[in-house]
């Protein structure tokens, strides 16, 4: 159980928007939430969310879209004991770093009182990551409207409410990093999308914003795209460091409820989840893209333009990848990235052409070799640093046949993909050769070395001739 300020003393913040944004009557409120949850559908094979981005308008307008996010949250309700809810301050400025906490011990809704994590709030203020901002919280709806959904889906959990005013993305990320702790803590980011365009314009803008969220292009999410742009940007910055990826759950506008298309507000629901294995169709798409990127340059002399429009959405979040080309037992090229810096599909296309034409160990790939080559794409999991004092620690902790390993010492750096275990099955030999690959020729364990392990989701695309024969 997370340390929390579940106090019998202290004051209670009363609801500010009950009766306007959502029903003030307990029975009607329960029924409204139940109706919205009943109509919410989730994407197939959705991983359990560690965070959600949720709309915060009146339930009549955005409740259906918000309910999709909360249906996703319900899949891990038993594991969640604490919720951090962060939204924009619409009405009152927030001083200092721009992140504000409530000093109340409880917040009241028509469904009962919610206990606040007052200890975490005090720690944020003590560290200079937030300020006391009761004046900003008092009239604010962005956090409050999430509470009845949380009470319904999660029951009696402790909540830490935060509002964000004028702030730097880094300041928001630092505050969230400090309080979004452990798998028993859920992060809820409260934000609507575009405001007061005609419906067609709003949907186009919101589609662009959704793509920016999925691709974690935080600099492309501004106040005209989402009123909670700063909470969204801060959450995405932390999520990337934790290896979580965004998934779109739903998009809508107020016109879906009101029928008025002249001046609408856009709503979205997203989940931040651990990566899941690629589906069969996604594997085929990536393999075709990699061969297309190489073939384009062989045919035109120019790099592939990366202008694809039909990219599967789960291939858009930033991921790290390697692409290797082999002809029989002979390696033709292998280039990759170890940290996610661009959308996965772009990373694969770039690494495919680099493996074909820029691996300094080999010559440029020829059209005949591409026709006969096996292409292997390895999509990396987030790096997990090992506590290793020496090579023996590494040999004990790595999992033969499962882990790729990255070794870094000063300017020296080397990695082996998990496929290398097939040639070096003994951990001692595996680590010894990795040390040498990193440029440490004497084979001794370097002082100050750092080691990470990772797994890969592998896509193997056989030569076209083999594929035809198998068909």
């Amino acid at each position: 159980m997370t340390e929390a300020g579940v106090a019998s003393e202290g004051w209670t913040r009363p609801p500010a928007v009950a009766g306007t944004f959502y029903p003030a009557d307990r029975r009607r409120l329960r029924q409204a939430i139940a109706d919205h949850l009943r109509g919410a559908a989730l994407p197939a094979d959705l991983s359990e969310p560690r965070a959600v981005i949720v709309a915060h308008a009146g339930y009549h307008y955005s409740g259906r879209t918000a309910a999709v996010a909360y249906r996703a949250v319900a899949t891990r309700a038993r594991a969640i004991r604490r919720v951090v809810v962060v939204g924009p301050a619409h009405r009152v400025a927030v001083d200092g770093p721009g992140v504000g906490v409530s000093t109340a011990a409880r917040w009241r809704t028509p469904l009962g009182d919610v206990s606040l994590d007052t200890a975490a709030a005090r720690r944020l203020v003590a560290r200079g990551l937030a300020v006391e901002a009761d004046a900003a919280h008092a009239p604010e709806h962005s956090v409050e409207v999430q509470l009845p959904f949380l009470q319904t889906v999660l029951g009696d959990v402790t909540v830490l409410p935060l509002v964000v005013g004028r702030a730097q993305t880094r300041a928001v990320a630092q505050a969230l990093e400090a309080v979004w702790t452990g798998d028993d803590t859920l992060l809820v980011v409260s934000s609507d999308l575009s405001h007061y365009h005609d419906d067609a314009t709003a949907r186009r803008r919101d589609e662009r914003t959704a793509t920016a969220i999925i691709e974690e292009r935080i600099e492309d999410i501004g106040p005209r795209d989402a009123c909670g742009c700063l909470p969204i940007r801060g959450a995405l910055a932390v999520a990337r460091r934790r290896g979580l990826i965004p998934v779109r759950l739903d998009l809508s506008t107020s016109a879906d409820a009101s029928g008025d298309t002249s001046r609408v507000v856009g709503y979205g629901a997203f989940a931040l989840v651990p990566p899941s294995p690629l589906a069969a169709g996604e594997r085929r798409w990536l393999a075709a893209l990699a061969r297309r990127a190489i073939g384009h340059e062989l045919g035109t002399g120019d790099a592939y333009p990366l202008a694809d429009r039909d990219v599967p959405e789960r291939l858009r979040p930033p991921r790290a990848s390697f692409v290797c080309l082999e002809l029989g037992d002979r390696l033709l090229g292998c280039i990759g990235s170890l940290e996610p810096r661009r959308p996965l599909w772009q990373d694969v296309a770039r690494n495919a052409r680099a493996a074909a034409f820029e691996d300094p160990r080999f010559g440029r790939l020829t059209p005949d070799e591409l026709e006969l080559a096996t292409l292997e794409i390895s999509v990396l999991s987030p790096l997990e640093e090992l506590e290793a004092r020496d090579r023996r620690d590494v040999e004990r902790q790595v999992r033969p046949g499962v882990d790729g390993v990255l070794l870094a010492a000063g300017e020296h750096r080397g990695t082996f993909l998990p496929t290398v275990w097939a040639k070096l099955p003994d951990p001692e030999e595996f680590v010894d050769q990795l040390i040498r690959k990193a440029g440490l020729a004497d084979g001794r364990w370097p002082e100050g070395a750092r080691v990470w392990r990772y797994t890969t989701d592998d896509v193997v695309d056989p030569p076209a001739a083999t594929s035809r024969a198998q068909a």
Side-chain angles (χ1 to χ4, degrees), residues 329-360:
D329 293 331
R330 180 165 62 95
L331 183 65
L332 302 176
C334 188
I335 296 290
S337 52
L338 289 161
E339 298 176 1
R341 293 194 175 95
R342 59 182 69 90
L344 173 60
W345 72 278
Q346 294 184 8
D347 199 63
V348 167
R350 289 172 181 266
N351 289 337
R353 74 159 300 278
F357 307 120
E358 294 182 354
D359 191 326

Side-chain angles (χ1 to χ4, degrees), residues 28-46:
R28 289 182 55 222
L29 177 56
R30 288 191 184 280
Q31 187 61 54
I33 292 175
D35 290 344
H36 287 310
L37 289 171
R38 190 179 304 112
L42 295 178
D45 302 322
L46 179 69

Side-chain angles (χ1 to χ4, degrees), residues 357-414:
F357 307 120
E358 294 182 354
D359 191 326
R361 299 169 295 177
F362 308 101
R364 289 174 60 87
L365 196 76
T366 67
D368 289 343
E369 287 173 330
L370 177 60
E371 178 74 15
L372 299 172
T374 294
L375 184 147
E376 182 167 339
I377 301 166
S378 297
V379 180
L380 276 60
S381 71
L383 298 177
E384 176 191 357
E385 187 163 10
L386 302 179
E387 293 185 6
R389 295 169 297 178
D390 55 34
R391 61 180 296 160
R392 301 304 173 199
D393 277 348
V394 179
E395 293 165 9
R396 284 191 294 267
Q397 293 182 64
V398 296
R399 297 166 294 184
V402 175
D403 290 331
V405 182
L406 167 64
L407 167 66
E411 296 181 355
H412 297 276
R413 186 178 171 101

Side-chain angles (χ1 to χ4, degrees), residues 421-462:
W421 288 105
K423 297 178 180 178
L424 300 172
D426 178 66
E428 184 176 348
E429 185 181 7
F430 184 96
V431 173
D432 182 69
Q433 292 301 317
L434 178 59
I435 292 171
R436 296 178 185 278
K437 184 182 180 183
L440 302 158
D442 58 8
R444 291 184 297 179
W445 185 252
E447 184 177 353
R450 298 177 67 186
V451 181
W452 296 262
R453 69 181 181 185
Y454 55 88
T455 59
T456 59
D457 190 0
D458 297 325
V459 178
V460 179
D461 187 51

Side-chain angles (χ1 to χ4, degrees), residues 195-210:
H195 284 59
Y196 309 136
H197 301 283
D198 65 83
D199 191 58
T201 300
R203 292 182 193 274
R204 287 194 300 271
R205 289 182 64 97
D206 294 346
E207 183 65 36
R208 289 198 299 269
T209 301

Side-chain angles (χ1 to χ4, degrees), residues 20-362:
T20 53
F21 278 67
Y22 58 86
D25 177 77
R26 176 182 301 210
R27 184 187 60 80
R28 289 182 55 222
L29 177 56
R30 288 191 184 280
Q31 187 61 54
I33 292 175
D35 290 344
H36 287 310
L37 289 171
R38 190 179 304 112
L42 295 178
D45 302 322
L46 179 69
S47 300
E48 293 184 342
R50 289 347 186 229
V52 287
I53 300 171
V54 190
H56 60 223
Y59 284 12
H60 173 71
Y61 298 100
S62 67
R64 180 185 68 80
T65 292
V68 181
Y70 285 111
R71 276 289 301 274
V73 167
T75 62
R76 57 185 304 262
R78 291 184 179 181
I80 298 170
R81 298 291 178 268
R82 175 175 176 268
V83 183
V84 177
V85 186
V86 56
H90 288 90
R91 294 172 176 81
V92 179
V94 180
D95 297 328
V99 179
V101 302
S102 170
T103 67
R106 294 164 298 275
W107 278 24
R108 181 158 295 158
T109 81
L111 302 185
D113 287 355
V114 176
S115 297
L116 300 197
D117 189 347
T118 56
R122 288 194 297 266
R123 288 194 296 270
L124 279 179
V125 173
R127 294 176 58 185
L129 299 177
V131 295
E132 294 180 355
D134 291 321
H137 277 289
E140 183 55 55
H141 66 276
S142 66
V143 173
E144 180 183 324
V145 298
Q146 309 301 341
L147 299 187
F149 270 105
L150 289 169
Q151 289 172 295
T152 301
V153 172
L154 300 181
D156 185 18
V157 293
T158 303
V159 172
L160 175 61
L162 303 174
V163 286
V164 176
R166 291 182 178 271
Q168 298 293 322
T169 299
R170 182 173 63 178
V172 180
Q174 287 175 332
L176 295 181
E177 186 83 70
V179 295
W180 182 14
T181 55
D183 284 343
D184 67 344
T185 296
L186 172 76
L187 175 65
V188 174
V189 180
S190 182
S191 180
D192 293 337
L193 299 181
S194 63
H195 284 59
Y196 309 136
H197 301 283
D198 65 83
D199 191 58
T201 300
R203 292 182 193 274
R204 287 194 300 271
R205 289 182 64 97
D206 294 346
E207 183 65 36
R208 289 198 299 269
T209 301
T211 300
I213 290 172
I214 296 301
E215 295 184 352
E216 298 178 16
R217 291 184 282 107
I218 62 176
E219 67 282 355
D220 292 338
I221 306 167
R224 294 185 179 181
D225 305 309
C227 57
C229 63
L230 290 172
I232 291 173
R233 290 167 69 155
L236 290 177
V238 178
R240 177 178 289 197
R241 292 195 288 270
R242 298 184 179 187
L244 301 175
I245 62 173
V247 176
R248 182 208 312 235
L249 302 177
D250 193 48
L251 285 180
S252 66
T253 74
S254 56
D256 295 326
S258 70
D260 181 0
T261 61
S262 62
R263 196 166 182 261
V264 309
V265 176
Y267 312 120
F270 304 83
L272 301 176
V273 302
S276 56
L278 298 172
E282 293 163 343
R283 294 171 183 276
R284 289 192 295 270
W285 195 94
L286 276 181
L289 169 69
R291 288 194 183 271
R292 190 161 64 248
I294 298 170
H296 178 88
E297 188 155 343
L298 285 170
T300 67
D302 297 324
Y304 190 70
L306 297 176
D308 302 58
R309 296 182 178 274
D310 63 339
V311 182
E313 191 156 280
R314 291 210 316 163
L315 305 183
R316 288 190 176 277
R319 303 280 301 275
S321 70
F322 269 74
V323 178
C324 299
L325 296 160
E326 294 182 340
L327 187 56
D329 293 331
R330 180 165 62 95
L331 183 65
L332 302 176
C334 188
I335 296 290
S337 52
L338 289 161
E339 298 176 1
R341 293 194 175 95
R342 59 182 69 90
L344 173 60
W345 72 278
Q346 294 184 8
D347 199 63
V348 167
R350 289 172 181 266
N351 289 337
R353 74 159 300 278
F357 307 120
E358 294 182 354
D359 191 326
R361 299 169 295 177
F362 308 101

